[in-house]
Every structure is written in C-alpha cells, then in structure tokens.
Amino acid sequence: MTLSPAFLDELRARTTLSAVISPHVKLLRAGREWKACCPFHNEKTPSFTVNDEKHFYHCFGCGAHGDAIRFLTDNRGLPFMDAVKELAAAAGMEVPAADPRSRERAERQATLHDVMADAQTWFAEQLDGIEGAEARAYCQRRGIGAGAIKRFGIGFAPDRRNGLRKALERHGDDKLVDCGLLIRVEDEPKKEPYDRFRGRLMIPIRDQRGRVIGFGGRILGQGEPKYLNSPETVLFDKGSSLYNIDRAGPASRQAKRLIVVEGYMDVVGLDRGGITEAVAPNGTALTERQLELLWRLDPSPILCFDGDSAGSKAAIRAATRALPMLGPERTLSFVTLPDGQDPDDLVNSGGRDAVEALLQTPEPLVDRLWRHERDSTPLATPEQRAGLKQRLIDHAAAIADRSLSQLYRDEWMERFYALNRRERPAFEPRGQQQSFQRRGTWVRGKGFVPPEKPLEEATRTIARDSVGPIEARAIAAGLATFPDLIAEEAELLAALPFADPAAEALKQRLLDAALHQPSLDSQAVKPILAEARTASLLSEVQRGTGVVFSFNRGGADPAKSRADLKAVIELLGAKREIASAMLEAQRRMGEGDEAAVAEQHRLRLAAEDLTKRLADFSISD
C-alpha cells in the first residue's frame, strides 16, 4: 500500500516527536530542542537532538536521522505500516484504505513537484533574458538585488500565451493544468490551454521543505489584479501555507521571533534590511491553519501590517480569528507602521534600525483589541459605553481556554471601569463632591466604602442616589440566584447604594465573595449563602418585595431572567448618571446658560424613557 506524501506530511505535523521518543529515551530540554544520549549507539555525552518544530531527530555522533515513523521502525522494529497506524491512531487520523489508485496519486503528486521546479527554473531564465528587461528594471527600482532574486527564486513570465506551455511541453498539458500553470477553457474543449501568468514578475511560493507549490505574479505596469496567485491545486492550499516559511522557520529560531507581514514584497523588503524571519499569507486574511503554522515556530508572532485603514482592519481580523485558539503559549503581538508606509518604505527611509525600533515594543493582543474597541465609536452616552462593554465581553467569551478568557475579561473590565470613571466628571455637578471616587471607594475585602464626610450630607446623598428598598431587595435576591453576574457588574453595583440595609449588606457580601473568586457560580455561592448571617439577610430581602421583577418570577426561563437582571442593573446605573447630569444642567441654568435648558429637556426625556424601560421588567404582586 502506498500512502500519499500529503497524508504523511500531515501525520508528521500532527505528531509531537518528543512525545513519541520520551517513553524510550530520557530527554532533557535544551532551548527549543531536546537532548539525550543516543539510543542507536553507546555514548556518555548527549549528542542526540530532537526538534519538535522540524519534526526530526539527529545524532551528531553516529548520524542517525529521521522522523517519528523512522524512530518507530528503527528503534522499536515496527513495520512501516504498523508505525504509521500507531501514530495515526494517536493523532486521531484515519489511515487511507488500500486503493489501487493511491500509488498513482502519490506518483502524480511527486511529478507535479518536478513540474513546478521546472517552471520556476524557466521563469528565472526569462528574467535574465531579453524579454525580462522591464522586470529587471522594476527590481532595480525596488532595491531588489541579484542576491535577493536568487534567494527568493524570483523570475519573469513573458507576455505570451504559450511561452511556458511550449517550454514545458514534455510534461504535457494535463500536468501543467493540474499545477495551475495553464488555463483550460472548459466550455471550449477544442481550444488549446494557455499560460496563466503573462507579463508578470514571478515569485515562487514554497512549502516548509523548500518545494515550489505555487506562484504569485506581480504585474509590472498598470492593470488588475495587481497580484495573481496560483489557484488551489493538489500541491497548493493557500489557506494552509505561508510565503517564505521555508526560510523564515530556521531564521526565527535564531532571531527568537517571527514576523508576519501583508504581502510577498514586504517579506522581500525586510530581507533587504537584513530581517529574514518574516512570512506573509498568500493574498488573503490569516486563516486558522496559518495561525497554527505560526505558533509552531513562535508562541507570539509579531503582526507588522501597513499603517493604513486596510492594515488596521487586517490586524483586527487576525486578532479576532485568533481569540478562540489562544492559550498560555499561543498569542499574537502587533506593530503598527507609520501611516501610509509599508515595510519596504521603512527600510528605504531608515534601514534596519527604523524597523528594529518598532519591533522592540510590539503591542500585546489584549492591548490591540482594547484600543480598537475603545476608539471605534464615541463613548458619550450610557448606551455607547454599554456597547463597548458588551463587545469586550464577547471577545473574552470567544477564548476557549476558560482561565485565559476570565483573565482577558477581568483586564478589559478593569480598563472599562477606569475609563468610565474618567468620563463621569463631565456629567457631575461641579459644586458638589459627586464623582465616583468621592462617593466612595471599592476596597478589597470591604466592598464599597463611603467617603469621610458629615453624616447629614452623606444621608442626603444616599437618599437621592440610592436604589429604592423594593427594587434593592429584588436585585439582591436576583444576584443570589445569578452570582456569575456579580463580578461582571461589580463596579456598577458598588456605585449603586441600596436604600434597604439588608439588601445593601447582602450585596456587599456577594461583591466581596466575587472579588476573591471571579468565577463565582451557583455551586460556588452555596457555602456563602449558607452562612448564618448571609442566610438571614437573604431571607429578609426575599420577604414582601411588593413588586415582582421578571428575573424573580417563578418558572421563568433562567437565561432570560439573567439577561433581565443584567438589564435592570445597567438601566439603574444609567438612570443615576442622568440624575447627576440633570443636577449639573440645573446649576448651569441658574448661571444663565441657555444651552442648559435644552440639555435639561433632553435629559428629562431620557429619564422618562429609562423609567418606562425599567417598568417593562416589573409586574405587581
């Protein structure tokens, strides 16, 4: 039975080589590799290395070299197919069933690699020929010298319909079509195939083993598309490959970083500046499979995109696509180039030093997404701030690693509330000490601590700003039922004094518990509610509310009840902000500010709307 190279490559990629070898050889970590005494010959000093990223082992003493399959056949004596089946079972892969056509497919794929190699050679020859003069001039203008042309295998496709076809006619049209080098007109079978790439600078795309699998063709003059890429073929899956990965992989291990840029010429431009550890997607946004490839080389690749709107959007698309896959050793960082510049421009203007200056301080993913969401819309109204908050919560929820998800959420909520506190003074009465910080402070272990000011003044403030006894008891009881909301709304709850003493005390106990245990849920809150004092408070707030809110109603859908409780808390917070803003508008009216009259009217309408929206969540007993 013959297995396809594609299957074997995927099997190697899914197998952690050190995990296969470690049960039989004592491995010691040595940087990004493993070292051991060679199992194939007697030695006292370790010379046997295992490289998980390259998927091979090598002994510098006896020369033993191979992959996971070779280790099982040479060390354990397994037949080839038994070794493959064992590794496939561990990787969750199905070994292809015996098929007479398998050998033909494998041979065909191997032949197509030969075709692509011959095509790259021919394109390189044309760049040096008479027809390549314009392409050579283009390279000279871009600062691409002979060394870079050779390193990247750059060539030229003459503007002829059958130039490549005639040069590689020994391979036959079918293979050239299968490689994406010729276009066959399906509706006109009698019409001869013709060259796909014409009048373009040809940039070969290689796999990790250095084999040409596709091409990117850059137009030299005006016209569209600017870049023409190979179509999807047996060899080329553009969403699973990265340009320059064959050279950037080894370079990244030496540089201890991996850089991702937008396009082929960006990679070439950085190389011209002496930075060789750069890759690029093949004309598309980064895919999940490409992210996996990046993380095999570096736990935090640096995305270095152009300093324009398109570059910013590409960075955010990559960030959001990466969120579900993040982990303690899998993240992204970002560098934003000066507006209107790409890496090539930066190398031209400041050389390697200019690029290195940016790369020294990449922006973490948590900061990049925060900055994007914070700046994407105005934050002048409670609704706009609520939108920011929800977007951040949604991003955190997209992270599959629950511990990391919680940490992202905590980080963003802390920044959100800090930003919200900075925004509030514009809405507070100037002559009164009404900022959030002066109303009180959230203190670990103590909850919401009121400021030191005369008791009479504090009493008047609480009476005006606090949540009424009936609503307070209902909300406190709701928080005991849905404790996961407490951490989410901690800052807002701390800033909402409850007029009912029992409800306020219960809220403070729950806030304090959530502060020490952010992932508070129904199971985790049970021991807290069982405490004598807390149980007494809960019993008290549950008696005689006078109003039943939708989130307290028996038999209601839990998900809807939780959403309603969240909405009521946030509406009460917005109502409190509007009340403060109305006091400010009244003060300005007293000073003769005519604009304050319109502001007072707008705020009154907003308050009436909030009152109606709150009424939607309550029914009489």
Side-chain angles (χ1 to χ4, degrees):
M1 175 181 177
T2 301
L3 297 172
S4 71
F7 171 81
L8 294 175
D9 284 347
E10 185 176 2
L11 179 60
R12 295 182 186 100
R14 290 199 191 184
T15 299
T16 302
L17 182 56
S18 60
V20 175
I21 295 177
S22 60
H24 313 283
V25 180
K26 184 179 179 180
L27 298 177
L28 299 174
R29 173 66 75 177
R32 301 181 74 163
E33 296 183 333
W34 300 88
K35 295 191 73 173
C37 289
C38 181
F40 299 105
H41 81 287
N42 294 323
E43 62 175 8
K44 294 181 179 180
T45 302
S47 60
F48 181 82
T49 63
V50 178
N51 191 310
D52 284 330
E53 294 172 351
K54 294 182 178 180
H55 311 293
F56 69 71
Y57 61 84
H58 181 79
C59 177
F60 292 92
C62 69
H65 183 94
D67 57 11
I69 301 171
R70 182 69 176 269
F71 183 85
L72 294 182
T73 58
D74 289 1
N75 182 262
R76 292 178 51 192
L78 294 180
F80 176 82
M81 282 307 303
D82 289 349
V84 168
K85 289 176 182 177
E86 181 174 316
L87 294 173
M93 295 175 63
E94 290 285 338
V95 178
D99 183 350
R101 292 172 295 181
S102 296
R103 182 184 300 276
E104 180 184 346
R105 284 198 299 268
E107 291 175 352
R108 173 170 165 260
Q109 191 173 46
T111 302
L112 296 185
H113 279 300
D114 295 336
V115 174
M116 294 297 278
D118 288 349
Q120 189 270 324
T121 299
W122 186 78
F123 288 137
E125 291 171 351
Q126 306 317 298
L127 181 62
D128 289 334
I130 296 175
E131 292 177 284
E134 185 182 0
R136 292 195 299 273
Y138 172 85
C139 289
Q140 186 175 10
R141 289 195 302 272
R142 295 293 298 260
I144 305 172
I149 289 173
K150 184 176 181 180
R151 285 194 299 276
F152 289 98
I154 295 172
F156 172 66
D159 193 8
R160 291 186 267 131
R161 286 179 61 87
N162 289 290
L164 179 68
R165 183 184 178 218
K166 289 182 178 179
L168 302 186
E169 60 184 353
R170 64 186 180 281
H171 290 297
D173 287 350
D174 288 345
K175 289 187 178 67
L176 294 173
V177 170
D178 288 345
C179 286
L181 297 170
L182 296 187
I183 295 176
R184 175 174 280 143
V185 183
E186 299 294 341
D187 295 338
E188 300 181 43
K190 293 184 179 180
K191 194 170 184 178
E192 292 186 341
Y194 57 92
D195 290 3
R196 178 180 298 274
F197 299 101
R198 304 182 304 280
R200 291 178 178 270
L201 192 75
M202 297 301 293
I203 304 166
I205 303 166
R206 301 185 176 97
D207 63 13
Q208 287 179 285
R209 296 168 63 181
R211 299 173 298 186
V212 178
I213 56 175
F215 289 95
R218 209 279 187 199
I219 199 166
L220 296 175
Q222 299 298 316
E224 293 293 336
K226 184 177 179 181
Y227 283 94
L228 178 65
N229 293 322
S230 289
E232 300 280 326
T233 68
V234 174
L235 301 180
F236 183 54
D237 178 353
K238 62 184 177 182
S240 297
S241 57
L242 289 163
Y243 176 65
N244 198 46
I245 194 170
D246 57 314
R247 298 181 66 249
S252 71
R253 285 186 284 276
Q254 184 174 354
K256 294 181 172 55
R257 69 185 180 192
L258 181 65
I259 302 165
V260 185
V261 290
E262 289 188 63
Y264 310 128
M265 299 309 293
D266 296 328
V267 171
V268 176
L270 287 181
D271 179 85
R272 192 161 50 84
I275 298 172
T276 58
E277 63 277 9
V279 298
N282 301 301
T284 63
L286 279 172
T287 67
E288 288 83 354
R289 290 164 293 172
Q290 288 169 333
L291 287 168
E292 290 282 3
L293 283 175
L294 294 172
W295 283 322
R296 288 178 194 167
L297 298 174
D298 191 279
S300 182
I302 302 171
L303 272 60
C304 182
F305 289 168
D306 295 354
D308 55 16
S309 175
S312 178
K313 289 177 181 177
I316 296 304
R317 279 197 302 269
T320 53
R321 181 159 287 178
L323 284 175
M325 308 164 70
L326 295 184
E329 296 295 326
R330 292 157 66 104
T331 188
L332 298 174
S333 54
F334 299 82
V335 164
T336 302
L337 295 174
D339 190 26
Q341 290 196 2
D342 59 25
D344 203 32
D345 297 325
L346 205 58
V347 170
N348 286 336
S349 61
R352 178 169 186 162
D353 289 344
V355 182
E356 290 289 356
L358 286 176
L359 294 175
Q360 289 303 312
T361 54
E363 186 177 27
L365 189 152
V366 65
D367 295 340
R368 185 67 186 89
L369 269 180
W370 160 258
R371 184 163 60 86
H372 168 74
E373 294 298 356
R374 181 198 63 194
D375 298 343
S376 62
T377 59
L379 300 174
T381 68
E383 291 81 3
Q384 290 167 340
R385 292 194 289 276
L388 168 62
K389 181 180 180 183
Q390 191 58 54
R391 293 194 300 274
L392 295 171
I393 290 172
D394 291 343
H395 285 322
I399 302 173
D401 184 304
R402 300 325 301 163
S403 175
L404 187 61
S405 173
Q406 186 64 50
L407 289 172
Y408 263 72
R409 180 175 178 141
D410 292 346
E411 176 77 16
W412 281 333
M413 289 302 99
E414 182 178 340
R415 297 184 191 190
F416 171 79
Y417 289 119
L419 176 68
N420 206 22
R421 286 196 294 272
R422 288 196 295 272
E423 295 285 341
R424 282 182 182 173
F427 298 97
E428 301 289 351
R430 292 177 187 168
Q432 304 173 43
Q433 296 178 342
Q434 295 296 318
S435 70
F436 175 74
Q437 292 88 343
R438 298 201 179 177
R439 287 195 188 112
T441 306
W442 175 256
V443 179
R444 182 180 293 274
K446 294 183 179 180
F448 185 77
V449 177
E452 295 181 3
K453 58 182 179 180
L455 179 61
E456 184 179 348
E457 181 187 348
T459 303
R460 286 199 304 269
T461 300
I462 292 173
R464 189 193 71 225
D465 291 342
S466 62
V467 178
I470 293 174
E471 292 87 351
R473 286 195 292 268
I475 291 172
L479 292 173
T481 305
F482 302 103
D484 60 308
L485 267 178
I486 300 168
E488 185 175 319
E489 303 290 350
E491 291 276 352
L492 189 51
L493 286 167
L496 283 174
F498 286 0
D500 181 78
E504 175 70 15
L506 178 59
K507 181 193 73 174
Q508 293 293 350
R509 284 175 173 264
L510 293 172
L511 280 169
D512 192 49
L515 186 65
H516 290 86
Q517 189 174 345
S519 57
L520 199 64
D521 57 20
S522 298
Q523 291 301 315
V525 83
K526 281 183 179 179
I528 300 165
L529 297 178
E531 295 172 0
R533 176 59 179 152
T534 311
S536 175
L537 289 171
L538 179 59
S539 177
E540 187 173 345
V541 301
Q542 287 175 332
R543 289 198 299 267
T545 60
V547 171
V548 177
F549 282 81
S550 57
F551 51 81
N552 294 124
R553 190 184 316 169
D557 175 62
K560 184 179 186 306
S561 295
R562 182 189 183 281
D564 288 354
L565 174 59
K566 176 182 171 70
V568 167
I569 293 170
E570 294 183 352
L571 286 171
L572 286 170
K575 185 178 179 182
R576 192 165 185 258
E577 286 196 10
I578 288 176
S580 295
M582 288 179 73
L583 284 173
E584 168 67 3
Q586 287 174 3
R587 187 195 64 76
R588 289 164 49 203
M589 287 169 60
E591 295 176 353
D593 186 345
E594 295 182 2
V597 177
E599 177 69 2
Q600 179 82 340
H601 178 67
R602 184 189 71 79
L603 290 168
R604 186 176 292 110
L605 293 176
E608 291 173 358
D609 178 62
L610 282 175
T611 301
K612 292 177 182 177
R613 291 165 66 184
L614 280 166
D616 291 340
F617 295 100
S618 65
I619 60 172
S620 299
D621 270 348

